[in-house]
Amino acid sequence: MCGIFGYIGSQQLAQKDLDFLARHSQIRGRDSSGLLVHTGSGYLAAKADFALTKLLKKVPLTERTVFFGHSRLITNGLSDNQPVVRDGIAVIHNGIVVNHETLWQNVDLERHFEIDTEIISALARLALDSGATLEEAAQRVLDECRGVVACAMAVPELGKLVLFSNNGSLYLGNTAAGQLFASERFPLEQVGCHDIQQVRQPVSIDIP
């Protein structure tokens, strides 16, 4: 089990809300952590083999308005952490793709990582390169991956983030300053989100 969360806003997220989201995500896994942060000129991926709250001390988000976080219980791919970034696509994923070895045999792409999450970005890139929309690319992942997939996938070249899941362990809510997503509904309620929806079918959001 892992925890993912993110914020896409027009102003900074209150520190207390960020701390709450991070701590609640960390409850779902403390083995490793990762962040994807928009710096103003691009995206920075940070990964660590320790808990998320510790990583946030090294990569502060107090001045950032777009960021995504991952807190991981290691179940597959001991040597790799998330976010997984390849071919211009960054993925944070809660779950296990149990058929990823078979899927790699069916695609004409070189594998770079041990972690199962990489197949998500690979399948999405193949779909996008064949002319699919981002939502269609996400649906291909849902159609082909077996196991549990609750995912946030950023494609900066398109200025889009897409959220999707096959188990409903992903929620999206709104605030006056922007949108927040998390693996559970409770933390979004606690930070004052409204219009919270459970995400299953792909939902796309504009990002820088």
Side-chain angles (χ1 to χ4, degrees), residues 8-200:
I8 307 96
S10 58
Q11 55 188 277
Q12 298 169 18
L13 184 65
Q15 185 66 50
K16 64 179 180 60
D17 293 340
L18 170 59
D19 290 344
F20 186 86
L21 288 168
R23 289 196 305 271
H24 198 273
S25 180
Q26 187 170 277
I27 292 171
R28 298 173 61 92
R30 301 176 60 93
D31 293 332
S32 66
S33 56
L35 295 167
L36 186 71
V37 185
H38 186 253
T39 64
S41 59
Y43 285 85
L44 168 70
K47 307 178 187 183
D49 58 356
F50 45 74
L52 179 61
T53 49
K54 183 177 179 181
L55 179 59
L56 285 171
K57 294 178 182 179
K58 297 178 178 293
V59 186
L61 301 179
T62 51
E63 298 181 0
R64 306 304 181 192
T65 59
V66 177
F67 53 81
F68 318 116
H70 184 272
S71 192
R72 184 178 183 216
L73 175 66
I74 293 178
T75 54
N76 197 321
L78 298 179
S79 63
D80 304 316
N81 296 334
Q82 299 185 44
V84 170
V85 182
R86 67 165 287 157
D87 302 327
I89 298 175
V91 175
I92 54 175
H93 164 223
N94 168 34
I96 305 174
V97 181
V98 298
N99 65 330
H100 66 110
E101 298 287 357
T102 301
L103 290 172
W104 279 115
Q105 296 173 13
N106 297 331
V107 298
D108 186 22
L109 291 173
E110 181 182 357
R111 186 174 180 178
H112 302 312
F113 307 109
E114 179 184 340
I115 191 170
D116 58 306
T117 302
E118 185 185 7
I119 194 62
I120 294 173
S121 55
L123 291 173
R125 173 47 66 191
L126 287 172
L128 290 173
D129 287 349
S130 69
T133 66
L134 184 57
E135 293 81 3
E136 289 169 343
Q139 189 60 53
R140 175 175 177 177
V141 173
L142 291 174
D143 290 343
E144 296 196 25
C145 291
R146 300 291 175 262
V148 175
V149 175
C151 192
M153 184 168 68
V155 188
E157 70 190 63
L158 300 178
K160 293 288 186 180
L161 170 77
V162 62
L163 306 175
F164 53 97
S165 81
N166 62 6
N167 71 338
S169 185
L170 189 57
Y171 294 83
L172 175 67
N174 298 308
T175 69
Q179 294 177 286
L180 286 157
F181 67 84
S183 295
E184 298 179 25
R185 184 185 187 94
F186 173 74
L188 298 184
E189 293 174 336
Q190 292 301 111
V191 301
C193 284
H194 57 85
D195 299 326
I196 298 172
Q197 60 175 303
Q198 186 179 41
V199 176
R200 288 185 177 271

